[in-house]
Amino acid sequence: MIGNLELSTLQQLWWLITSLVGSLFVFLTFVQGGQTLILTLARSEDEKSLIVNSLGRKWELTFTALVLFGGALYAAFPLFYATSFGGAYWVWISILLTFVIQAISYEFRRKPNNFLGQRTYEIFLLINGTVGILLIGAAIGTFFTGSNFRLNDYNLVQWTHPLRGLEAAFDPFNICFGLFLVFLARVLGTLYLTSNIEDANLVARLKKSSFTNLLLSLPFLFFVLVQLITMDGFTVDPATKAISMVAGKYLDNLLSMPPVLIMLLSGLILVVVGVILNRFTKSRSGIWPSGLGTVLTCLSLFFLAGYHNTPFYPSRVDLDSSLTIYNASSSHYTLTMMSYVAILVPFVLAYIAWVWRQMDSRRLTLDEVTGNSKSY
Amino acid sequence: MIESIDPGQVNWARAQFALTAMYHWIFVPLTLGLSVLCAFFETLYVRTGNIEWKQLAKFWMSLFAVNFAIGVATGIILEFEFGTNWSNYSWMVGDIFGTPLAIEGILAFFLEATFFAVMFFGWDRFSKRMHLFSTWMVALGSNLSALWILIANGWMQNPIGMRFNPDTARFEMLDLWAVVSSRIAISHFTHATSSGFLLASLFVTAVSSWFLLKGRHQIFARRSITVAATFGLLSAMFVAFTGDEHAYITVRTQPMKLAAMEGLYKGKKPTGLIAFGVVNPDKQAGDAGDPFITKIEVPGMLSLLANRKLGTFVAGIDDLVWGNSEHDIVGVDQKIRYGRQAVTSLADFKQARKAGDASSAEAALTKFNQNQEFLGYGYLKKPSDAVPPVSLIFYSFRVMAGLGTFFIMLFALFLIQSARNKLPANRWLLRIGVISVFLGYIAQQAGWIVTEVGRQPWAIQGLLPVSVARSNLDSGTVAVTFFIFLALFVVMLIAEIKIMVKQISLGPEVSKS
């Protein structure tokens, strides 16, 4: 059944699936955003514990979403994986390190005799939430700004910049996109914690903080959006496969794909709605509109980068080496087989949602945290 | 395809990957087995309603969690390193290799991640049965993730179900089922997971033996030992059984690895098994030197194990490198000649395509197709490059197999003494029990050394040498990351051990709730 689909349809389908996983990951970075609040927003050890334990029930989902995002890109677009990971070496190694130190920090932070001390693990969580997210933003930013690589006749990559990927973090667009993601994660973090924690004092501060962080994110968002609709972009000629630069490429993409424009605008509006609900009403559910808004916004950005004859991983130094969803993908057979496996994804989402609902049916209280010897 | 090969860089990349994989495998086998044991203890609690089983489950879960955290932390490094350090590999076989990784994420990791939170924080939020179900899901998730990565690794040992596409210069999958159901993948999975069960049993036995030696938590420790020794004995026997199967498949898929495991240079009929041997360090493939300084050989035994038939021929390293016409073995020397032709005609094909010369491209492709199965051999410099480091593999294999046999006896002894209620008095056995967990870790690492070093110089057996699979990086860059990881791993290991030791010395009381 799926095997009868055209290769290009499968390629588009898999760009959709990987974009969805990536967007869900960005939503789940409320964990990372929350981590940056531990040292600034919490006023006592108890409040710290509440935040860490609330996030601690979710951090592995975020981590796994990142792993799956990588795995799906590897399986569906192996040339991207090979080019970007093998080429932009230092940016990926840096991102990796921030997630390695995160993975041990929840479990080790408060354990007696933990060698590095509680504060070190809290700093690890902070680094993951700031540097980690900033660099992921910078890496995704290169989908629009391009990278410095060349592919040889055998599709093997050669990186032409000595910083091997870290140069992306010095491009204003990429930095602003990264910083926007950092503040967005903080917004989502405050919203999630508001919905998950039962502590009037802390919640009052979280509610304020969500609004402050939204305001802080706006200049970066504004810069990114203005750049995006005014910048030159990479385009591929569908007939000759030649890549060239055109003015206003992403604006053209937006106008040519109205659903994407609608997703972007409604996504951003939903993020704001969630924060306003959280700040100015008694509602504790702001995370849901903002979360959905985040997913829609990210999806629209991925679509802008990959659809409508756009190379999603363009090369600045050799336009013809740029990767499109068509030249970077797996074979027809592999994409078909993986599509069958992907049929299971809704079931996976369903049990995650069910467990989430059950776990969060009661908000987390200090009594529960201190009463459980397994608490983080 | 590859302009120049920097052997230093390849070795740094290998060192870095070996470091990560070996470090990762300190934590994974314990996760595989301990998750099952925890689920088993909890099942006893749910069935009997006896709160002591719950405390027992919770104590082992707390050690599981500390161990699990580092397993997760190091697992993501491996996924990244496939791309960062083996970028050419990722392109050339990503069409096949990526699929099990993605399936692993969808089917296994989310099970672990979702139900882990329930297992630790859901005692009061879920019903007893639902909680038990979650604990089993964590165990299933861990073992399923082992399944998919070992399928991927099995394919690297015995690549099947794909073909080379000269247009894209990569291998493309033709048959996912062949990859998934490959005998070596299944044997890999059963051998590795059961060895994880074995290690977890050793771990539980060791900690409990220590409690008994200290005269603490007597009932708790004896109960744990009874369950762990039973589970351990069954696992250890299964490990031996799957190990035998594994060797049998290796003869058919990676004869060079088997020859190295046995230090067998000249194939014989019948072939003996070296029960004990000291490898001659000066011995080189092809020379007349004796492979061993001293050895004890069981006559004809290797023929029986390798071919399940007495008196049969088992190929040695020299037969495989220089060929053996009597037994229809094409040597590596010959394969290198074919391989170089394949490399040249692939380059001609690419050149002609670029120039738009269809007929030359066609001719080059025909030539390429004649030799394409030997493409990887074209990148070896000399025939003896196909020989992996013999003494390391020879000794590692003996350490693994010897310890495996020892563990069977150890668990049997523990079980007997436990049944006779004589454990607490048997202090020498308890001391051996404590030490044995470290032997378990050594056996685990030795097993992977046999598997992975035994595959050298190949990243994908017979298709892709490590020197081609690498990323286009300079050796300094990879060396720097090697030391960053080394430092990080040392710090993480110290923290882990300190926390584990503390948790163990605190004992199960702290886990009461």
Side-chain angles (χ1 to χ4, degrees):
Chain A
M1 166 184 68
I2 295 174
N4 294 332
L5 295 175
E6 294 265 335
L7 177 59
S8 58
T9 312
L10 285 168
Q11 288 159 329
Q12 289 161 10
L13 174 69
W14 272 92
W15 185 249
L16 175 77
I17 295 174
T18 33
S19 299
L20 184 62
V21 177
S23 304
L24 286 171
F25 165 73
V26 177
F27 160 56
L28 290 168
T29 59
F30 67 74
V31 168
Q32 273 68 21
Q35 285 167 194
T36 66
L37 301 168
I38 298 169
L39 290 172
T40 52
L41 196 85
R43 287 191 182 153
S44 64
E45 274 306 308
D46 284 346
E47 288 190 353
K48 264 193 203 171
S49 279
L50 268 172
I51 293 178
V52 172
N53 278 283
S54 172
L55 299 172
R57 283 150 172 70
K58 300 290 183 299
W59 78 267
E60 284 186 75
L61 282 180
T62 314
F63 196 89
T64 307
L66 175 65
V67 170
L68 181 61
F69 185 44
L73 278 169
Y74 194 177
F77 301 100
L79 190 54
F80 166 74
Y81 203 79
T83 304
S84 184
F85 279 67
Y89 187 82
W90 282 119
V91 79
W92 290 114
I93 292 282
S94 308
I95 291 171
L96 171 63
L97 289 173
T98 73
F99 278 84
V100 172
I101 57 177
Q102 181 213 20
I104 55 166
S105 293
Y106 282 95
E107 185 61 39
F108 287 11
R109 185 182 77 103
R110 290 259 294 224
K111 287 277 178 304
N113 217 11
N114 66 7
F115 186 48
L116 298 176
Q118 179 179 340
R119 195 164 174 84
T120 309
Y121 293 107
E122 285 164 4
I123 291 171
F124 283 172
L125 292 176
L126 177 68
I127 293 173
N128 174 242
T130 50
V131 181
I133 299 298
L134 176 72
L135 288 179
I136 286 182
I140 297 178
T142 62
F143 283 15
F144 301 98
T145 54
S147 299
N148 305 289
F149 67 89
R150 204 171 258 129
L151 298 182
N152 72 9
D153 291 346
Y154 301 87
N155 280 327
L156 304 181
V157 60
Q158 196 184 8
W159 205 259
T160 59
H161 197 287
L163 286 177
R164 298 218 61 134
L166 281 181
E167 72 275 12
F170 299 103
D171 178 290
F173 177 88
N174 297 342
I175 298 179
C176 286
F177 188 63
L179 286 170
F180 169 64
L181 286 191
V182 171
F183 285 107
L184 177 66
R186 280 172 70 92
V187 168
L188 294 167
T190 54
L191 294 175
Y192 164 76
L193 292 168
T194 306
S195 75
N196 197 248
I197 289 178
E198 197 58 81
D199 181 304
N201 256 326
L202 184 56
V203 167
R205 261 174 289 134
L206 283 167
K207 281 181 165 260
K208 273 190 197 148
S209 177
S210 66
F211 191 66
T212 318
N213 278 295
L214 179 71
L215 291 181
L216 287 172
S217 78
L218 289 179
F220 303 111
L221 173 68
F222 186 70
F223 181 83
V224 166
L225 288 179
V226 169
Q227 281 274 304
L228 199 62
I229 52 177
T230 55
M231 74 203 280
D232 292 353
F234 300 80
T235 190
V236 54
D237 183 320
T240 64
K241 311 281 180 220
I243 314 264
S244 56
M245 299 294 292
V246 286
K249 167 68 180 168
Y250 299 105
L251 178 62
D252 177 46
N253 279 8
L254 269 177
L255 298 176
S256 314
M257 298 187 285
V260 176
L261 180 62
I262 293 169
M263 282 165 72
L264 178 63
L265 294 177
S266 56
L268 291 172
I269 291 169
L270 278 170
V271 172
V272 175
V273 166
V275 175
I276 290 182
L277 276 179
N278 193 58
R279 175 69 182 89
F280 299 107
T281 74
K282 285 203 164 118
S283 165
R284 304 275 285 267
S285 310
I287 181 70
W288 299 114
S290 292
L292 177 64
T294 302
V295 172
L296 288 174
T297 307
C298 290
L299 271 178
S300 68
L301 292 176
F302 280 116
F303 292 170
L304 275 186
Y307 290 148
H308 198 251
N309 299 319
T310 314
F312 71 93
Y313 200 62
S315 169
R316 283 205 273 231
V317 289
D318 177 28
L319 288 178
D320 285 332
S321 288
S322 299
L323 306 187
T324 66
I325 61 173
Y326 306 109
N327 68 16
S329 90
S330 277
S331 64
H332 187 270
Y333 178 82
T334 297
L335 291 180
T336 307
M337 287 300 120
M338 293 214 312
S339 304
Y340 281 113
V341 177
I343 293 175
L344 292 171
V345 169
F347 294 96
V348 176
L349 290 174
Y351 76 69
I352 293 173
W354 185 79
V355 167
W356 186 311
R357 227 183 118 88
Q358 245 355 66
M359 275 298 270
D360 293 6
S361 57
R362 232 175 33 235
R363 292 202 180 97
L364 191 65
T365 61
L366 192 58
D367 287 347
E368 188 178 352
V369 172
T370 48
N372 183 350
S373 63
K374 297 285 176 298
S375 288
Y376 289 134
Chain B
M1 177 160 20
I2 296 289
E3 289 82 18
S4 67
I5 289 171
D6 173 359
Q9 189 262 326
V10 178
N11 285 336
W12 276 116
R14 284 182 57 205
Q16 184 179 324
F17 200 83
L19 175 75
T20 318
M22 290 176 84
Y23 189 76
H24 183 55
W25 199 257
I26 296 175
F27 310 101
V28 172
L30 192 57
T31 300
L32 296 180
L34 209 49
S35 60
V36 175
L37 278 169
C38 287
F40 188 70
F41 288 133
E42 194 181 332
T43 306
L44 288 174
Y45 158 62
V46 172
R47 294 195 68 134
T48 62
N50 183 343
I51 194 84
E52 283 170 7
W53 284 117
K54 181 179 177 187
Q55 286 168 2
L56 214 141
K58 285 183 96 171
F59 173 70
W60 294 114
M61 275 178 196
S62 65
L63 299 180
F64 169 82
V66 178
N67 183 74
F68 184 77
I70 303 205
V72 171
T74 48
I76 194 173
I77 306 180
L78 289 173
E79 188 196 15
F80 272 56
E81 279 182 358
F82 290 133
T84 52
N85 287 21
W86 305 102
S87 150
N88 297 350
Y89 170 97
S90 287
W91 165 241
M92 291 171 74
V93 301
D95 194 58
I96 306 127
F97 192 79
T99 304
L101 293 195
I103 299 179
E104 185 183 30
I106 296 170
L107 297 188
F109 290 157
F110 277 112
L111 271 183
E112 286 180 272
T114 308
F115 290 102
F116 184 90
V118 181
M119 178 168 155
F120 283 91
F121 307 110
W123 288 102
D124 302 327
R125 289 175 181 253
F126 287 79
S127 71
K128 251 188 193 180
R129 285 187 178 279
M130 189 51 215
H131 190 277
L132 176 64
F133 173 76
S134 305
T135 308
W136 275 111
M137 284 301 112
V138 172
L140 178 72
S142 334
N143 283 281
L144 272 183
S145 53
L147 171 68
W148 289 102
I149 192 68
L150 290 171
I151 284 173
N153 185 277
W155 183 81
M156 294 167 72
Q157 314 287 344
N158 181 29
I160 47 174
M162 79 295 159
R163 73 183 168 94
F164 187 78
N165 180 346
D167 287 320
T168 49
R170 67 166 172 183
F171 292 92
E172 292 178 352
M173 185 153 58
L174 289 179
D175 186 353
L176 177 61
W177 181 244
V179 174
V180 170
S181 64
S182 128
R183 266 183 90 179
I184 199 148
I186 301 303
S187 144
H188 243 0
F189 170 65
T190 50
H191 194 59
T193 45
S194 53
S195 80
F197 298 169
L198 194 167
L199 183 77
S201 307
L202 283 174
F203 179 80
V204 172
T205 306
V207 173
S208 307
S209 296
W210 184 78
F211 282 145
L212 288 180
L213 282 170
K214 293 276 163 194
R216 295 172 53 190
H217 319 297
Q218 304 263 351
I219 298 173
F220 168 89
R222 279 156 65 184
R223 276 189 178 163
S224 295
I225 285 183
T226 309
V227 173
T230 313
F231 190 54
L233 181 62
L234 292 173
S235 309
M237 290 194 298
F238 192 66
V239 168
F241 168 73
T242 50
D244 172 64
E245 167 79 2
H246 205 69
Y248 180 76
I249 301 169
T250 303
V251 180
R252 269 132 206 91
T253 51
Q254 297 173 292
M256 185 67 89
K257 184 192 276 182
L258 187 99
M261 279 156 68
E262 289 302 322
L264 178 67
Y265 281 83
K266 298 235 182 296
K268 279 179 289 200
K269 201 162 100 168
T271 319
L273 183 79
I274 312 292
F276 172 82
V278 177
V279 176
N280 173 6
D282 300 325
K283 169 73 184 167
Q284 297 288 326
D287 71 13
D290 196 320
F292 294 99
I293 293 169
T294 177
K295 66 177 176 186
I296 301 170
E297 189 172 341
V298 187
M301 193 63 184
L302 187 61
S303 295
L304 183 66
L305 289 177
N307 298 322
R308 295 182 179 159
K309 211 167 165 191
L310 281 168
T312 47
F313 176 81
V314 181
I317 291 168
D318 291 350
D319 305 299
L320 296 164
V321 173
W322 286 282
N324 182 330
S325 51
E326 192 189 334
H327 292 280
D328 284 336
I329 298 171
V330 180
V332 173
D333 55 347
Q334 185 63 35
K335 290 180 182 173
I336 288 179
R337 279 195 287 279
Y338 296 147
R340 287 183 183 156
Q341 283 171 14
V343 172
T344 314
S345 24
L346 182 61
D348 292 344
F349 168 74
K350 286 280 173 198
Q351 198 64 38
R353 262 294 168 81
K354 230 176 172 177
D357 181 350
S359 65
S360 300
E362 187 65 27
L365 189 59
T366 313
K367 240 176 126 184
F368 171 75
N369 285 336
Q370 288 162 0
N371 298 309
Q372 65 142 306
E373 65 175 301
F374 303 106
L375 180 65
Y377 284 91
Y379 294 98
L380 298 184
K381 286 206 176 78
K382 54 183 192 301
S384 59
D385 283 354
V387 183
V390 174
S391 46
L392 178 61
I393 299 165
F394 176 85
Y395 290 124
S396 300
F397 179 65
R398 266 145 200 80
V399 166
M400 174 193 71
L403 286 173
T405 317
F406 164 73
F407 297 142
I408 296 180
M409 297 188 291
L410 181 78
F411 285 125
L413 265 178
F414 261 96
L415 210 54
I416 293 166
Q417 294 298 73
S418 152
R420 294 168 65 200
N421 233 339
K422 291 209 166 149
L423 261 185
N426 220 329
R427 299 186 72 81
W428 58 269
L429 183 61
L430 294 176
R431 285 196 194 102
I432 296 176
V434 173
I435 297 164
S436 293
V437 69
F438 301 103
L439 300 178
Y441 282 108
I442 292 172
Q444 292 280 347
Q445 299 291 338
W448 275 108
I449 289 173
V450 174
T451 303
E452 296 298 284
V453 179
R455 196 187 55 230
Q456 295 307 314
W458 303 104
I460 310 284
Q461 179 71 40
L463 293 182
L464 187 63
V466 283
S467 54
V468 180
R470 74 198 179 97
S471 293
N472 197 343
L473 291 164
D474 60 81
S475 46
T477 304
V478 191
V480 169
T481 20
F482 174 87
F483 287 108
I484 293 176
F485 282 122
L486 183 64
L488 186 67
F489 291 168
V490 169
V491 170
M492 276 164 45
L493 189 64
I494 295 173
E496 203 253 4
I497 291 173
K498 284 178 74 109
I499 293 172
M500 282 281 226
V501 168
K502 184 74 188 173
Q503 292 290 313
I504 291 169
S505 72
L506 286 173
E509 289 99 337
V510 288
S511 314
K512 269 186 193 154
S513 64

